[in-house]
Amino acid sequence: MIQINEEAGVIALHTASTTYAMGVADGRYLGHLYYGSRLYLSEADLENLRASMRLEEAPAVPSEDPGEKSGFLDAFPFEYPTGGIGDNHEPCLDIVTEAGQTGLELHWSGYRVCTGKRPLPGLPGGHGGKQVEPGESVNEREGGDSYGSAEAVQTLEIDLLSEGGGLLVTLIYGVFEKADVITRAVRICNRSKKTVFLTRALSFALFMDDEQRLEVMTMGGAWARERRVVRQKLEYGALVNESLRGESGHQTQPFMALVTPETTQRTGKVYAALFAYSGNFLSKVQVDEQRQIQIVMGIHPGTFHWMLAPGEIFDTPEVVLTCSECGLDGMTAHLHDFCRRHILRGSWVHRERPVLINSWEAMYFDISADRLLALAREAKEVGIEMLVVDDGWYGRRSRDEGSLGDWSANPEKFPGGLASFARQIHALGLRLGLWFEPEMVSGDSDLYRAHPDWMLRTAHHVPSMGRNQYVLDLANPSVVQYLCEALDAVIGEAQLDYIKWDMNRSITDFGSSFLPPQRQGETAHRYVLGLYKVQEHLVRTWPELLLENCSSGGARFDLGMLYYSPQIWCSDDMDPVERLPIIEGTAMLYPPSVIGAHISRDHNDVSQRTTRMEDRARMACLGTFGYELDLASLPRQLRSRIPAQIARHRELAPLVLEGDYYRIASYRENQRYDCAELVSKDRGEAAVFLFFVLGEPSRRSLLLHLEGLEEASLYQVYWDEESDQVQLDEGAGGVQWGTSKPFGEHPGQLYRGSVLMYAGIVIPRPRGDFHSLILRLHRKEDRFGRKND
Ligand code: DGJ
């Protein structure tokens, strides 16, 4: 709901449990007033919010005290700060005029409110689409291009004008009432007769007093160690979280949250910002001399310089804001619901994905039609539904060198051609998926030989290779068109059901031979726009195609890519222990249904650690679930467990797709065990995923407190006892756990929700290292004594 008191000059945006408010000072300056718990306000109450602008204190507004204008501009909590005029906080917008001059002051000009949410041209962002029902097609949901509002979604646009009126800056606020999210983006229009250069155009700033001594949360990492949660105290000065790698990166995540010091999973206040963008970004938080906090986020100015000719418009990507009084789980709940309902699109979002087998860790580059067909037959036998042929199927590729860009099947590996291979796979009753790395080109490729000018490079530097490859110039529309056509041709030829879109190096040499000199600084952002264009083309041309994004593991896991693909490969590290902190960070922001998760072989190639298949299978249940190992070399008794693993995954899939996620314990924090829980929206079903890491002699059983259940309802608790038996069969390390069968003796023991949540449930401690367990909960009786079956 959007509430406006024009006389008082105050606007309040309300979601179910939050309020975001702004005010106009001195008739012209737009300031931030409040973001936090929902305020219930009469029109008259709105005026009281103006207090936070401190207009009664010195320095007075410029109309009263023009002599202290720069002091006012420095103290005022600008909603969209600009550089060069006296505000010494982080600016969102900086310009250079044709005369080479800087400095910009923006004044309030007006506003519009509309129902629903208009898409940002060429960019991902929150849409107002209604929940897709299972079986409903993408077209029914989206009604072509219409992003109508079946839910309570509204948009507020506020116009700010530069002095002289040459630049119109429109602040766009999406109000997603049910999801408790406010989105922010900015449109900049040059209405003058002269060119203006934007040297930074961030998407948002937020100002607040720091009486609460807020701490900041970000995520760090590396290849195979993505999205580790980092929390730091804030002191005077600034803290930056950024990527200049051309993607969100293994090392960073376009996310920043401010939390009160006492914040835990369930308590404390959290203000979070997540960027729906997949390229270079900057997020920065600073504490000023008044202990006011300012946070900004947007396209990284370090690789951004945009020429805005007369009449041209520039749109920034969107930042997603949420605020919770219920700790980190509250933030997670808002972000998951928002992502599921307002970011993800297409026919797969609410559908169970086919269980796949991927050839990468099964065979690496050593693939051929014969070997893949053998793998497919074995896969079919155990209930797998899709074969994904990973890297190595095209050109003359046999190692990580050469052929990128030549997207036709390697004739030696596929002597009968791709179409015939695809027919054979489909004839087995399997779906077929193929790996591509569309953004890349090898020096040794027909594409490079035909178009040496199609790669990113600057005139004065020999471009750097990464994984022996160059990056195509997606800022060039011819390259974008070529990619659309090349992908369409293979998808059509092989009737593909799935694509894994990989990207295996960070981007360097942001120079485009297509763009004129004054526009070279646009290359990095235009690259991302080109990437989105190709993926939008795929989504629209092949509505049933399941697209999975990937970047050398999980280096491009962001809301931007999720707008195009309902799942992203999470990490090249499939070791279940290594995955614990990766999943913790990833699922803190994104729902488990979008997290690519496979079961690899027992001795993990990345971690060099050996674990049991059941532990890996349980871990993969917290994501899209698939296999990535050579079934032929898998011991018989392990292969025979696959149908049961798939059945368990299927049972859990509805919870993974739509359930509320709770983090019960963090291995990253306690260094002992990890626990996450999923609860259905109606509270009738739940699953608890428990992973013990190292054996702990002399430790008593664990008293586990669950979350999200109905206090008075009666739940039957099962554990996946049958698969535990397999641990014994495997005999790895002489596992004893499970022989005492605590729940086995009382299968389906009944507990009240309140007991499970407040008194806790006793979990026997396993002996030895690495054990996992999934508890299943069904509501047998609700609080009125009505039976559920
Ligand atoms: C990196 C991906 O993360 C892997 O899964 C695999 O597809 C390789 N690239 C192939 O080159």
Side-chain angles (χ1 to χ4, degrees):
M1 194 200 24
I2 298 175
Q3 208 181 356
I4 299 174
N5 181 335
E6 289 194 11
E7 219 169 290
V10 175
I11 301 178
L13 316 178
H14 301 288
T15 68
S17 68
T18 72
T19 293
Y20 185 109
M22 295 159 272
V24 183
D26 212 14
R28 56 173 68 179
Y29 301 111
L30 183 66
H32 181 75
L33 301 185
Y34 173 81
Y35 188 35
S37 300
R38 170 83 193 238
L39 305 176
Y40 294 89
L41 306 163
S42 69
E43 292 288 296
D45 296 332
L46 280 175
E47 191 158 2
N48 295 334
L49 297 179
R50 293 177 61 85
S52 68
M53 289 195 280
R54 270 80 168 206
L55 299 178
E56 312 310 322
E57 300 168 26
V61 294
S63 63
E64 282 172 25
D65 188 0
E68 283 305 334
K69 183 175 173 186
S70 72
F72 170 82
L73 296 178
D74 199 22
F76 187 71
F78 277 103
E79 182 68 6
Y80 195 65
T82 51
I85 54 166
D87 177 1
N88 290 301
H89 297 93
E90 192 71 14
C92 279
L93 187 59
D94 271 329
I95 60 160
V96 178
T97 65
E98 271 184 12
Q101 287 169 342
T102 58
L104 174 69
E105 189 174 315
L106 294 176
H107 295 163
W108 166 270
S109 157
Y111 70 90
R112 288 169 298 284
V113 173
C114 41
T115 306
K117 177 85 190 320
R118 236 181 284 145
L120 302 172
L123 284 165
H127 56 76
K130 75 176 174 72
Q131 185 97 0
V132 179
E133 302 306 330
E136 191 182 9
S137 85
V138 59
N139 297 331
E140 279 169 275
R141 178 170 72 103
E142 292 180 0
D145 274 332
S146 136
Y147 284 71
S149 173
E151 292 186 13
V153 181
Q154 282 181 294
T155 304
L156 166 72
E157 296 186 346
I158 296 179
D159 290 334
L160 304 175
L161 275 176
S162 61
E163 291 156 297
L167 216 54
L168 170 65
V169 175
T170 304
L171 309 186
I172 305 170
Y173 297 81
V175 185
F176 294 81
E177 207 162 323
K178 280 196 194 159
D180 271 321
V181 157
I182 302 285
T183 57
R184 287 194 56 182
V186 181
R187 175 164 305 153
I188 302 157
C189 175
N190 183 358
R191 308 205 309 186
S192 75
K193 293 196 165 45
K194 292 195 168 155
T195 292
V196 172
F197 294 91
L198 310 179
T199 52
R200 75 161 62 202
L202 303 187
S203 298
F204 104 109
L206 189 70
F207 228 92
M208 56 180 101
D209 271 24
D210 185 28
E211 294 310 326
Q212 316 173 81
R213 288 288 190 265
L214 295 170
E215 297 177 359
V216 63
M217 285 181 71
T218 52
M219 290 191 192
W223 174 75
R225 259 195 294 122
E226 294 90 341
R227 286 171 293 287
R228 305 281 160 124
V229 177
V230 180
R231 184 163 165 175
Q232 299 170 69
K233 289 198 187 318
L234 274 176
E235 294 304 338
Y236 179 74
L239 191 145
V240 167
N241 171 51
E242 65 187 349
S243 169
L244 281 163
R245 294 166 194 269
E247 57 178 349
S248 28
H250 295 107
Q251 296 77 0
T252 48
Q253 171 63 207
F255 155 76
M256 202 177 238
L258 300 175
V259 301
T260 44
E262 76 286 359
T263 294
T264 64
Q265 288 302 136
R266 260 145 311 271
T267 59
K269 199 162 192 164
V270 182
Y271 306 89
L274 200 55
F275 200 21
Y277 188 62
S278 315
N280 291 339
F281 72 89
L282 170 75
S283 55
K284 186 167 177 179
V285 60
Q286 59 175 307
V287 183
D288 72 10
E289 75 271 29
Q290 302 290 348
R291 192 121 198 142
Q292 291 182 112
I293 287 193
Q294 186 213 30
I295 176 171
V296 298
M297 191 177 260
I299 294 177
H300 202 301
T303 49
F304 178 84
H305 189 271
W306 199 274
M307 180 174 134
L308 209 60
E312 283 187 345
I313 289 177
F314 179 79
D315 281 287
T316 74
E318 192 164 275
V319 167
V320 171
L321 301 175
T322 195
C323 173
S324 158
E325 290 277 0
C326 306
L328 297 171
D329 277 353
M331 168 191 78
T332 298
H334 296 170
L335 293 177
H336 284 195
D337 281 346
F338 177 74
C339 182
R340 281 188 289 235
R341 291 213 291 262
H342 301 293
I343 289 287
L344 300 176
R345 301 177 299 163
S347 60
W348 282 103
V349 176
H350 302 281
R351 259 159 81 190
E352 279 177 35
R353 320 289 154 75
V355 174
L356 63 81
I357 182 139
N358 178 299
S359 65
W360 182 242
E361 288 208 7
M363 303 174 178
Y364 291 107
F365 289 108
D366 192 14
I367 53 173
S368 66
D370 287 348
R371 284 199 80 192
L372 290 164
L373 274 162
L375 181 67
R377 284 191 198 97
E378 301 237 28
K380 176 72 186 167
E381 255 173 46
V382 293
I384 291 171
E385 298 157 310
M386 178 157 77
L387 172 75
V388 174
V389 181
D390 210 279
D391 198 353
W393 60 269
Y394 50 92
R396 289 185 305 280
R397 181 96 156 168
S398 55
R399 57 199 161 107
D400 65 357
E401 215 173 291
S403 294
L404 286 166
D406 297 345
W407 301 114
S408 58
N410 180 327
E412 279 163 29
K413 294 181 179 182
F414 295 84
L418 191 62
S420 143
F421 171 74
R423 273 195 298 277
Q424 293 176 75
I425 297 296
H426 285 139
L428 288 174
L430 290 180
R431 294 174 189 256
L432 177 63
L434 220 49
W435 176 100
F436 289 88
E437 197 175 355
E439 298 155 76
M440 299 293 146
V441 62
S442 306
D444 182 12
S445 68
D446 294 342
L447 181 68
Y448 181 81
R449 282 182 282 273
H451 299 284
D453 55 329
W454 272 12
M455 58 191 254
L456 287 180
R457 64 182 307 163
T458 52
H460 56 278
H461 172 65
V462 179
S464 306
M465 282 203 282
R467 209 199 192 202
N468 308 307
Q469 61 207 44
Y470 299 113
V471 184
L472 284 175
D473 174 10
L474 271 68
N476 181 342
S478 307
V479 175
V480 167
Q481 181 164 351
Y482 155 79
L483 287 179
C484 293
E485 287 167 7
L487 288 164
D488 283 350
V490 185
I491 297 168
E493 180 191 359
Q495 290 297 297
L496 295 182
D497 304 289
Y498 162 106
I499 279 185
K500 177 173 172 187
W501 179 305
D502 203 350
M503 202 281 243
N504 281 300
R505 54 160 293 180
S506 54
I507 303 177
T508 56
D509 304 287
F510 285 109
S512 164
S513 58
F514 166 77
L515 294 172
Q518 323 86 292
R519 291 200 180 272
Q520 285 301 311
E522 302 174 14
T523 309
H525 180 55
R526 283 190 187 274
Y527 179 96
V528 181
L529 295 177
L531 165 68
Y532 290 154
K533 207 167 195 166
V534 184
Q535 296 218 346
E536 183 71 25
H537 167 84
L538 287 184
V539 167
R540 292 193 177 269
T541 314
W542 308 95
E544 274 300 305
L545 184 83
L546 175 57
L547 179 60
E548 175 157 355
N549 270 294
C550 167
S551 175
S552 186
R556 205 156 56 181
F557 210 120
D558 54 63
L559 284 181
M561 299 318 286
L562 285 171
Y563 187 69
Y564 305 95
S565 67
Q567 58 194 59
I568 299 181
W569 184 231
C570 175
S571 174
D572 277 346
D573 200 334
M574 287 176 268
D575 174 314
V577 180
E578 292 296 311
R579 274 252 165 164
L580 294 174
I582 299 174
I583 293 285
E584 180 189 355
T586 310
M588 186 180 275
L589 308 180
Y590 307 104
S593 62
V594 307
I595 300 178
H598 297 169
I599 300 152
S600 60
R601 65 193 183 89
D602 58 352
H603 187 70
N604 187 277
D605 280 348
V606 172
S607 70
Q608 296 292 307
R609 179 186 289 131
T610 302
T611 54
R612 276 177 295 272
M613 189 178 185
E614 279 304 318
D615 298 326
R616 281 172 276 133
R618 290 192 184 99
M619 179 51 87
C621 282
L622 261 176
T624 56
F625 195 86
Y627 291 83
E628 193 165 329
L629 41 69
D630 185 11
L631 294 174
S633 56
L634 197 63
R636 184 198 49 78
Q637 81 272 23
L638 292 183
R639 197 157 14 135
S640 70
R641 293 301 308 155
I642 292 179
Q645 289 163 0
I646 293 177
R648 178 178 52 200
H649 148 71
R650 288 222 183 296
E651 194 193 328
L652 297 168
L655 283 168
V656 173
L657 276 174
E658 311 292 350
D660 286 344
Y661 178 92
Y662 297 88
R663 174 138 292 278
I664 307 291
S666 155
Y667 169 61
R668 175 185 59 84
E669 278 174 6
N670 65 31
Q671 290 299 298
R672 292 165 51 208
Y673 70 98
D674 198 90
C675 185
E677 183 187 359
L678 288 168
V679 183
S680 63
K681 291 277 178 203
D682 70 357
R683 315 277 126 203
E685 303 285 328
V688 179
F689 301 78
L690 189 54
F691 300 88
F692 292 94
V693 181
L694 293 182
E696 296 179 279
S698 302
R699 256 211 203 264
R700 295 172 68 180
S701 54
L702 178 70
L703 194 58
L704 198 67
H705 296 85
L706 305 187
E707 285 290 329
L709 307 174
E710 286 175 345
E711 292 176 344
S713 290
L714 203 55
Y715 291 89
Q716 192 152 27
V717 180
Y718 307 90
W719 70 334
D720 58 341
E721 179 194 358
E722 203 192 352
S723 46
D724 195 56
Q725 193 60 43
V726 172
Q727 298 179 354
L728 299 170
D729 286 347
E730 277 182 68
V735 183
Q736 298 299 313
W737 199 38
T739 48
S740 61
K741 289 197 175 34
F743 300 115
E745 282 168 20
H746 317 283
Q749 190 168 341
L750 292 169
Y751 295 86
R752 287 281 161 204
S754 55
V755 171
L756 291 167
M757 293 193 291
Y758 311 140
I761 179 170
V762 172
I763 308 288
R765 199 165 290 276
R767 300 237 309 262
D769 298 340
F770 314 130
H771 291 279
S772 59
L773 175 67
I774 297 177
L775 299 180
R776 275 288 282 130
L777 282 77
H778 297 289
R779 183 175 52 204
K780 293 303 278 184
E781 201 180 289
D782 69 13
R783 66 198 167 102
F784 304 110
R786 289 183 299 227
K787 306 271 179 234
N788 262 79
D789 267 317

